[in-house]
Amino acid sequence: MSILMNILWLLLGGIFTAVEYVVASLGMMITIIGIPFGLQTLKLSLLALCPFGKKIETRSEERRVGKECE
């Protein structure tokens, strides 16, 4: 079912969304400060190509940046 939904998504605008993410990513990578944001936007462009069937996981508390030391 997810393959059918991914094909339908691509035909109805998923390709355009992915291209827009890639263009925005290249625009952000012009500056040194924007490179990390551009890399994350590239990951979003890959997710925009096949969104159905993907699983998003969050990090555990131990790996978060800025956690207070005990």
Side-chain angles (χ1 to χ4, degrees):
M1 185 67 175
S2 65
I3 294 172
L4 177 66
M5 294 300 289
N6 281 329
I7 292 171
L8 187 62
W9 167 254
L10 287 174
L11 293 175
L12 294 176
I15 292 176
F16 299 116
T17 305
V19 169
E20 289 173 353
Y21 272 124
V22 169
V23 169
S25 175
L26 294 175
M28 283 189 263
M29 287 187 188
I30 291 174
T31 64
I32 293 175
I33 296 172
I35 291 174
F37 299 105
L39 291 175
Q40 295 304 316
T41 311
L42 278 177
K43 291 179 186 178
L44 285 175
S45 70
L46 293 175
L47 182 64
L49 286 175
C50 296
F52 297 102
K54 300 285 182 172
K55 184 176 179 182
I56 298 175
E57 297 179 5
T58 59
R59 291 185 174 184
S60 64
E61 288 291 327
E62 291 82 23
R63 297 190 63 187
R64 287 194 179 166
V65 176
K67 183 183 177 211
E68 295 179 13
C69 297
E70 296 177 1

